[in-house]
Amino acid sequence: MNKTTFEQIQETLYLETLSNGLQVYVLPKKGFNKTFATFTTKYGSIDNYFTPIGEQEPVRVPDGIAHFLEHKLFEDEEGDVFQQFSKQGASANAFTSFTRTAYLFSSTSEIEKNLETLVDFVQKPYFTKDSVDKEKGIIEQEIKMYEDNPDWQNFFGLLKSMFKKHPVAIDIAGTVESINKTTKDLLYTCYHTFYHPSNMVLFIVGNVEPEKLIKQVRQNQESKKFAAPEDINRITPEEPAEVAEKKKVIPMAVNTGKCLVGIKEKEPDKQGEDLLRHELSLQLVLEMMFGQSSENYQTLYEEGLIDDSFSFDYTAEYGFGFSVIGGDSSNPEALAERVREMIIKFTNQELDQKAVDRIRKKKIGYFLKAMNSPEFIANQFTRYLFNDMDLFEVIPVLESLTAEELTETMENHFAVDSQLSQCLIIPEGERTSE
Amino acid sequence: MEQTKNFKLGAAGVHIIPTATFKTNTFIIQMNAPLIKETASKRALLPNVLQNGTADYANRQQIRSALDELYGASLTTDVTKKGERHIISFRMDIANEKFLKDQTPLMEKGLKLLSSVLLNPKQSNNKFDPKIVAEEKRSHKQKIASIYDDKMRFANKRLTEEMCKEEPFGIHVFGQEDDLDNLNEENLYEYYKQALQEDQLDIYVMGDVDVDHVKNLISTYFPQNQTKDHSGPAPAGSTPALKEKANEVVDEQSVQQGKLHIGYRTQVVYGDDDYFALQLFNGLFGGFSHSKLFINVREKASLAYYAASRVESFKGLLIVMSGIQSANYEKATDIIFKQMEEMKEGKFTEDDLQQTKAVYKNQILETMDVPRGRIELEYHNQVSSNKIPLEEWIDRIDKVTKEDIVKVAGKIQLDTIYFLKGREALSNE
């Protein structure tokens, strides 16, 4: 077992990599009632083309299958795993993202039992034709719920206009048509390829004893048999550097329009500290450009183009990355244009050193606040780990970023002519200039 | 559980919860007044105006820059309903300088800024800055209009409007769009002065703090000049006569998924003897993923992705929510009503009850792990005239029996069924 202490934020992290390859992390938190654990596989919606373990030929699986699998794992031979957790006073859940599927529970009692349940149900797939068919009705309603959600439609509309071939543009839950192509055998194929312990991380945060829990997981894993780990062959289509289309307009049953402007990452191949510096740099730059303390925010607000739903973010994983800026607007068309102008103007100016220092402070404070949240720590640590980054390096890296480094990253990223797309949601019945 | 230190500062309540668990300190100020049509829009607009300009910081940009300098202290405001009380909240989370290389006294600076927002607004001749008021009116109107865009929220708003037509609770927490037109920098300022005088004020601080130090800071930055104490028991909310026959309301829109929201009257509010029996009823019926609604509407019938219920603790309502295909309206309502009947007949096991207690207690303990959650629970006892100390909650839950739940189920009556229907479903019928 390894132990690392982070002096400034007063946290200690324990790690053991088990003989089957599973990485187990424990972060003790004194004073908390709750323990939160996530069991995550490096497998998400974008992993839809791969060579199944033990086979030669790659397969293209139906859209939404990683999410379908997430739903189905909650059922085992004895019934519904939710029941088991709630008998033990825990609440359980799961989510599927572009690159990860995470299973989680939180509870204030019976931590060991709940941990055992978590590890066991994820490692015991049980799919039947009937249960797979029954799930289709449930997922269909989940898809329809998102189809009526204008923010979700706006975001995926933007991804579709930025990405031509990359599966990040495919809705995580798939479509009604694609989920109907999902079968029990395909679920097993995906499961056996991506749920090997060596492709997974278990993270536990709470008022717990690390040695005891790690020992428990070690014994649990030693009692099960796993094949030797194999490298997974994922096939990602060649994605052009520039955006697929500049603009998309979607009419929906809404009163207020919405606008998102996206900047597509040109070379999304960074990992490790490079990616961490890059991601934090762009988040700082975006704060300076469009944060609530920026001149741009003040101006857009005074022009009546935004309200407090206006926000921005930069995210990147291996193979794709993008900035997103926008929110509700009575005139989404004009907002998209203003955002574009403001990006051009801002990137042509010198960065204000005072603003850099101020935003750096803000980000450091935010990180400390996030350290109050077991959910944030477990989810983000795992995401960082899958990208070879270290969550506990965030403050040191923020402290080390210089205006020169920010400028270079900014100038490279915001190439509006080739990398900018916009997606607008407009009230049904209205027309735009497109 | 950390003990709360309560004391009075003039007419205001001050509540300090010292704890070493967090890396931040949390301040929350609550302003409590009756929910009435005449003031609803003013109260909803007021915090937006206050947080966008003070005598010390002329506009949003300056306030937000000052917050950034305080290591990204967050300042948020909102308005909520607790039964027929309309609560304005100001919240700030600020880093504890213990974890920073820089040893600035952040807590004092944070309280000073919060005080500037609440007590020292940008004004001249008893008028707010007209530009800020105009901008915030515009933004608030848009926020009201956007409720329509989130179909779950929209359905919830429509159900409440229909169900509580004759009661103050039917007023939306954001107020009315039409009323906004009559508001200006002068009458809003006048209302602000009145609210400071008449609202029940409570100030909460939670974090790794010294109680006496905080007490001193609060009396420095939040001097109290209310002449009357408003902290007496809240007047009982209105309760209308029960309906003979449930009200059915259907709206149509071009949506993919129908939203079915059903409102029941429980006749039980927070502080009542059977309050925890009602909470456990809700847990068994639709509150958790082992509940009857989840299992029967979702898992067995595959009709929905979500089918859940929740309790409106200060108003005595139980609300069921589910997203279904419009054509499945009858099927879904039949299943939901059947689950309600089974609850009334006591068709659940002792094991089911134990399971529900375990999950509900877990939920409460988890809520206490978040400063905002802990303060929210504490605040229950300021709003309600019947108080239940937090230390007693777990014990009270443990004592609830199956009979208690069946008894409380007997009080629950169907009031209104609201359905937001997909337009294309018409052709299927």
Side-chain angles (χ1 to χ4, degrees), chain A residues 11 34 86 106 253 255 293, chain B residues 23 68 149 151 355 366 369:
Chain A
E11 301 284 4
K34 147 161 102 177
S86 57
S106 68
N255 276 334
S293 61
Chain B
K23 294 187 164 57
D68 290 352
D149 306 350
K151 302 308 170 191
Q355 184 177 6
E366 285 193 14
D369 272 347

Side-chain angles (χ1 to χ4, degrees), chain B residues 320-332:
Chain B
V320 172
M321 293 156 288
S322 186
I324 56 170
Q325 209 151 10
S326 293
N328 286 333
Y329 175 77
E330 306 252 311
K331 262 193 224 167

Side-chain angles (χ1 to χ4, degrees), chain B residues 10 48-49 54 56 68 95 101 108 149 151 153 198 259 276 284 287 290 308 335 347-348 359 361 371 373 378:
Chain B
N48 298 343
V49 170
T54 80
D56 314 300
D68 290 352
K101 288 179 179 163
E108 176 162 5
D149 306 350
K151 302 308 170 191
R153 274 174 79 205
E198 295 179 2
K259 302 286 184 204
F276 289 111
L284 285 157
H290 67 273
I335 297 173
K347 284 191 183 157
F348 56 89
V359 181
K361 285 190 285 188
E378 293 274 346

Side-chain angles (χ1 to χ4, degrees), chain B residues 112-127:
Chain B
K112 199 173 161 187
L113 201 158
L114 195 55
S115 158
S116 180
V117 167
L118 182 65
L119 301 175
N120 205 4
K122 188 176 181 190
Q123 58 94 24
S124 64
N125 300 322
N126 292 327
K127 286 176 196 159

Side-chain angles (χ1 to χ4, degrees), chain B residues 193-363:
Chain B
K193 282 295 186 193
Q194 182 193 334
L196 276 188
Q197 237 348 279
E198 295 179 2
D199 280 19
Q200 166 58 29
L201 259 174
D202 285 282
I203 302 173
Y204 290 86
V205 177
M206 185 166 186
D208 195 357
V209 296
D210 174 74
V211 175
D212 289 326
H213 180 54
V214 177
K215 225 167 132 173
N216 284 334
L217 290 177
I218 289 183
S219 43
T220 308
Y221 293 112
F222 295 90
Q224 286 306 305
N225 55 6
Q226 280 190 352
T227 42
K228 202 173 135 241
D229 191 337
H230 304 282
S231 62
S238 57
T239 33
L242 290 168
K243 293 192 175 72
E244 290 286 319
K245 191 175 167 296
N247 193 9
E248 247 184 296
V249 181
V250 180
D251 286 339
E252 277 179 25
Q253 283 180 21
S254 61
V255 288
Q256 296 291 320
Q257 182 176 70
K259 302 286 184 204
L260 174 60
H261 286 220
I262 304 176
Y264 293 86
R265 303 267 174 187
T266 65
Q267 351 258 350
V268 176
V269 292
Y270 176 78
D272 288 351
D273 287 339
D274 45 4
Y275 173 74
F276 289 111
L278 176 69
Q279 286 290 348
L280 291 167
F281 169 94
N282 179 55
L284 285 157
F285 177 62
F288 300 117
S289 57
H290 67 273
S291 67
K292 284 179 181 288
L293 292 182
F294 188 88
I295 288 174
N296 291 288
V297 180
R298 174 179 151 137
E299 297 295 299
K300 289 195 179 153
S302 300
L303 288 183
Y305 171 63
Y306 67 91
S309 65
R310 65 180 178 83
V311 164
E312 195 68 60
S313 291
F314 289 89
K315 177 61 187 166
L317 307 181
L318 176 86
I319 312 287
V320 172
M321 293 156 288
S322 186
I324 56 170
Q325 209 151 10
S326 293
N328 286 333
Y329 175 77
E330 306 252 311
K331 262 193 224 167
T333 46
D334 283 353
I335 297 173
I336 292 166
F337 294 152
K338 183 155 175 270
Q339 305 317 308
M340 178 57 87
E341 278 317 303
E342 289 194 358
M343 287 300 302
K344 289 179 185 256
E345 288 160 11
K347 284 191 183 157
F348 56 89
T349 65
E350 191 55 41
D351 276 358
D352 294 337
L353 176 56
Q354 289 314 319
Q355 184 177 6
T356 306
K357 283 183 179 177
V359 181
Y360 181 49
K361 285 190 285 188
N362 181 56
Q363 192 182 56

Side-chain angles (χ1 to χ4, degrees), chain A residues 195-331:
Chain A
Y195 281 69
H196 190 278
S198 61
N199 194 43
M200 299 189 71
V201 172
L202 180 63
F203 199 105
I204 306 154
V205 200
N207 201 347
V208 294
E209 292 171 44
E211 292 85 358
K212 210 170 127 193
L213 289 187
I214 288 178
K215 186 176 166 211
Q216 182 195 339
V217 178
R218 193 189 308 125
Q219 285 173 348
N220 175 295
Q221 293 300 283
E222 280 167 358
S223 72
K224 296 174 185 169
K225 279 206 184 83
F226 296 96
E230 282 179 47
D231 284 339
I232 300 167
N233 177 35
R234 298 170 162 95
I235 301 159
T236 315
E238 204 59 36
E239 171 70 27
E242 72 280 2
V243 297
E245 54 181 337
K246 305 259 178 210
K247 184 176 179 183
K248 194 185 269 305
V249 179
I250 306 171
M252 284 185 78
V254 295
N255 276 334
T256 309
K258 288 173 189 290
C259 154
L260 287 180
V261 173
I263 306 285
K264 182 181 176 182
E265 186 66 57
K266 277 181 281 187
E267 296 155 347
D269 53 5
K270 291 184 181 61
Q271 291 281 275
E273 203 193 323
D274 287 348
L275 180 60
L276 183 59
R277 298 191 80 83
H278 185 76
E279 188 172 280
L280 291 174
S281 298
L282 285 172
Q283 286 170 355
L284 286 182
V285 169
L286 280 166
E287 269 297 337
M288 281 185 271
M289 229 188 254
F290 289 113
Q292 288 205 51
S293 61
S294 69
E295 206 172 317
N296 286 337
Y297 190 104
Q298 184 79 15
T299 306
L300 291 172
Y301 204 90
E302 283 170 6
E303 289 174 355
L305 289 174
I306 61 171
D307 63 15
D308 56 19
S309 67
F310 184 79
S311 69
F312 48 84
D313 194 18
Y314 175 80
T315 50
E317 300 277 340
Y318 186 77
F320 64 91
F322 47 84
S323 296
V324 181
I325 303 149
D328 291 358
S329 181
S330 55
N331 192 346

